[in-house]
Amino acid sequence: MPTPKKGARLGGSPAHQKLILSNLATQLIEHRALTTTEAKAKLLQPYFEKLVTKAKRGDMHARRTVAKKITSKDAVYMLFDEIVPAMDSERQGGYTRLIRVGNRKGDNAPLMRIELVMEKVEKKAVVKAAEKTAAKAAEAPKAEEPTVEEPTEEASAEDTAAEEK
């Protein structure tokens, strides 16, 4: 039997928490963005990222696995046939972005906006420069290795004299 998650759950019971995450994931798929409390958004992010990773496989087994967690057939269709093909295939995670919005007016609960990241993956300038340097180093012929000069007797005599002092 799996050990339950430590700490407080979102709704009270593990079953209720699963339903909350399933509904939040469905809304995120349908609307591409969602504003919710910080606790729910932080729990939703890894849950949803695992669903997208499965959806990137695209086969029938992955579709059925995702359909177990998201009960809306329309949401499953949108995830597999609209969202995943529109995402950059080079992206290996980080499919969602969390942004702090502020606090809710009624109970002052911290709110976060979770949205899908659909932009292309761009390498940082430092990485591009390092790749260019590595390519140049691979192309350049190896220079002759410098020879190591043997110390002369006079130099070794001076070293031993310095050590004795």
Side-chain angles (χ1 to χ4, degrees):
M1 184 168 134
T3 53
K5 179 177 139 336
K6 293 187 179 185
R9 289 178 180 79
L10 292 178
S13 69
H16 191 210
Q17 180 170 342
K18 287 178 188 174
L19 287 173
I20 288 173
L21 290 175
S22 174
N23 289 336
L24 286 171
T26 302
Q27 293 302 311
L28 183 59
I29 291 169
E30 290 176 357
H31 300 290
R32 308 287 201 276
L34 183 67
T35 302
T36 184
T37 61
E38 186 175 342
K40 288 179 184 175
K42 286 185 177 181
L43 283 177
L44 176 62
Q45 188 175 23
Y47 181 87
F48 186 77
E49 302 233 351
K50 289 174 188 170
L51 294 178
V52 173
T53 303
K54 288 211 184 292
K56 283 178 77 173
R57 286 183 41 198
D59 59 350
M60 187 57 67
H61 177 68
R63 191 176 285 262
R64 287 180 178 148
T65 305
V66 170
K68 285 180 191 176
K69 303 213 178 209
I70 298 177
T71 56
S72 170
K73 290 181 182 178
D74 294 334
V76 173
Y77 171 81
M78 288 175 68
L79 178 64
F80 276 82
D81 297 337
E82 294 175 14
I83 294 174
V84 170
M87 282 188 174
D88 188 14
S89 61
E90 292 179 15
R91 186 175 295 279
Q92 297 179 358
Y95 307 113
T96 57
R97 175 184 299 132
L98 292 175
I99 303 168
R100 281 199 170 81
V101 177
N103 293 341
R104 192 160 43 201
K105 188 176 181 184
D107 60 354
N108 205 29
L111 295 178
M112 288 188 111
R113 181 174 176 82
I114 183 168
E115 56 189 30
L116 299 179
V117 178
M118 305 298 278
E119 297 92 28
K120 297 282 183 187
V121 176
E122 292 185 18
K123 292 186 179 180
K124 294 182 179 177
V126 175
V127 175
K128 289 180 183 177
E131 286 178 349
K132 286 181 185 178
T133 308
K136 285 181 184 178
E139 292 174 1
K142 292 184 178 179
E144 293 181 21
E145 294 184 19
T147 58
V148 179
E149 294 182 18
E150 295 292 326
T152 60
E153 291 180 19
E154 295 173 6
S156 61
E158 290 174 3
D159 290 338
T160 55
E163 290 175 6
E164 291 175 3
K165 292 182 182 179

